[in-house]
Amino acid sequence: MLAASAVRTSATDPLSALEVGQRPAPEVPDGWVRVRLEAASLNHHDLWSLRGVGLPDDRLPMVLGCDGAGTDEQGRDVVVHAVVTSPGWTGDDTLDPGRSLLSERYAGTLAEEVVVPARNVVPRPPGLTAAEAACLPTAWLTAYRMLVTQSGAAPGSTVLVQGAGGGVATALVVLGRATGYRVWVTSRSGSKRERAQALGADAAFAPGERLPHKVDAVMETVGEATWAHSLRSLRPGGTVVVAGATSGPAPSAELQRVFFLGLRVVGSTMGTRDELVRLLDLLVTTGARPVIDRELPLDRAAEGFAAMAAGDLFGKVVLRPGG
Ligand SMILES: NC(=O)c1ccc[n+]([C@@H]2O[C@H](COP(=O)([O-])OP(=O)(O)OC[C@H]3O[C@@H](n4cnc5c(N)ncnc54)[C@H](OP(=O)(O)O)[C@@H]3O)[C@@H](O)[C@H]2O)c1
């Protein structure tokens, strides 16, 4: 089958580690199912994998990709849940110490087929296209959990989203708008700030800009470049939910600000299968849809990776294994 894989890793030149070519179709273990993929989407996670973050050399070559939608062996339209839990685990998927994301231990979705545990396929509701559904299991699920489950901010609250152009960030803008939050964003790019407002953000600011008032919660995936601004922008008792560190993982913790203002710092990763089902329902009931920057045939995956590495995206890159 055609697949996009990490064949080596490179911290400095991740694109050199990417190969799109033929791989053996995966075997189907007991209790697992095969999904023929119609669409997959890229995440920053795939770039981290090419850099060797979370992907040791002894697992190479590894088919990349966390997100996909297609049909199961009965011909049903399905979405693939990307969090694979340990056998017998019954708690929150994201808190299983043995959990992995597709493409970390098991082959991922940037391929014609993927094999996953039976519980990891979720019906795709009519009304959502395969391309839209393929955007949801990582960036959108992460955004949903950050905002709805972790932020502690009720609808009507003001939420700041750092780095407006990203996959997670555009999801936060759309979901925030659809569920009744006042959404403010920052972005390095003027055109991305404009596009975020067209998408539903109530206001957009340059990185580090002073806000009109303090916010109830901050959605942080940028890391070092925006952390100080995130803490400075919170009202006393406010919450920063952190799910990524694209620009670096080690800003000053600013502990005095955290304890003096009673701030909450909440880490968040992916989401549960139940949250994915609720996210799918939310899109159906609100009409909200993922922002797709571009769709490419799988054999042109490198173009999507290059755009992501350059930060030259607004929303998601969708790849089509069928061309
Ligand atoms: N914990 C989880 O479960 C989880 C799930 C998904 C993603 N993540 C992490 O979250 C991060 C975002 O993922 P993604 O897929 O949304 O990535 P993405 O689509 O590549 O977006 C990254 C965004 O970060 C901003 N950014 C990058 N470098 C920056 C810098 N130096 N200064 C300011 N802003 C910068 C950019 O926003 P502007 O260009 O608009 O400024 C860019 O659009 C990644 O680190 C990823 O690993 C974590």
Side-chain angles (χ1 to χ4, degrees):
M1 63 172 188
L2 186 67
S5 309
V7 291
R8 65 187 81 84
T9 58
S10 169
T12 52
D13 184 11
L15 266 78
S16 70
L18 175 70
E19 190 176 284
V20 183
Q22 291 297 317
R23 294 268 161 231
E27 302 288 322
V28 188
D30 273 356
W32 291 48
V33 295
R34 188 188 301 278
V35 174
R36 282 202 68 78
L37 291 157
E38 275 176 62
S41 79
L42 292 189
N43 289 287
H44 220 92
H45 185 275
D46 302 307
L47 263 185
W48 292 125
S49 300
L50 291 169
R51 291 191 178 110
V53 179
L55 186 59
D57 282 355
D58 61 6
R59 294 190 195 155
L60 299 175
M62 176 61 82
V63 178
L64 296 168
C66 301
D67 290 352
T71 47
D72 68 7
E73 281 151 328
Q74 283 70 43
R76 293 175 293 217
D77 290 330
V78 295
V79 188
V80 175
H81 177 44
V83 184
V84 180
T85 52
S86 314
W89 176 263
T90 54
D92 183 316
D93 297 355
T94 72
L95 302 181
D96 171 9
R99 59 117 166 91
S100 69
L101 308 189
L102 287 174
S103 78
E104 290 178 349
R105 198 171 301 148
Y106 306 106
T109 56
L110 302 189
E112 290 174 295
E113 294 180 3
V114 68
V115 165
V116 294
R119 78 173 288 273
N120 283 60
V121 295
V122 173
R124 164 159 68 94
L128 278 185
T129 66
E132 289 165 346
C135 295
L136 303 177
T138 296
W140 276 68
L141 180 61
T142 300
Y144 177 90
R145 185 174 171 96
M146 290 172 79
L147 185 66
V148 176
T149 312
Q150 308 277 39
S151 75
S157 306
T158 304
V159 170
L160 176 67
V161 178
Q162 299 282 17
V168 177
T170 50
L172 283 162
V173 171
V174 175
L175 291 175
R177 180 73 183 189
T179 53
Y181 292 84
R182 178 184 293 117
V183 182
W184 289 351
V185 298
T186 68
S187 176
R188 297 166 296 176
S189 141
S191 70
K192 288 186 191 178
R193 292 197 289 273
E194 277 173 24
R195 290 181 72 179
Q197 283 182 279
L199 201 57
D202 295 276
F205 304 90
E209 194 176 329
R210 190 186 175 87
L211 305 179
H213 62 75
K214 303 285 186 188
V215 303
D216 301 292
V218 180
M219 304 292 115
E220 175 62 84
T221 60
V222 178
E224 249 171 57
T226 51
W227 185 252
H229 183 243
S230 294
L231 294 188
R232 202 164 65 235
S233 301
L234 278 175
R235 66 160 169 79
T239 302
V240 57
V241 184
V242 55
T246 307
S247 62
S252 164
E254 303 213 24
L255 294 177
Q256 284 162 310
R257 187 179 288 277
V258 171
F259 70 72
F260 195 65
L261 295 178
L263 305 181
R264 295 196 316 138
V265 177
V266 177
S268 193
T269 280
M270 301 296 285
T272 65
R273 185 186 191 281
D274 287 348
E275 285 169 326
L276 179 59
V277 170
R278 286 204 295 275
L279 168 63
L280 290 161
D281 279 346
L282 177 69
L283 295 203
V284 171
T285 52
T286 61
R289 290 293 180 272
V291 184
I292 297 177
D293 179 275
R294 68 192 78 183
E295 289 191 38
L296 296 167
L298 179 58
D299 59 7
R300 286 170 54 196
E303 288 172 42
F305 276 92
M308 177 167 274
D312 182 22
L313 289 179
F314 191 84
K316 300 285 290 173
V317 175
V318 170
L319 298 176
R320 295 269 189 188

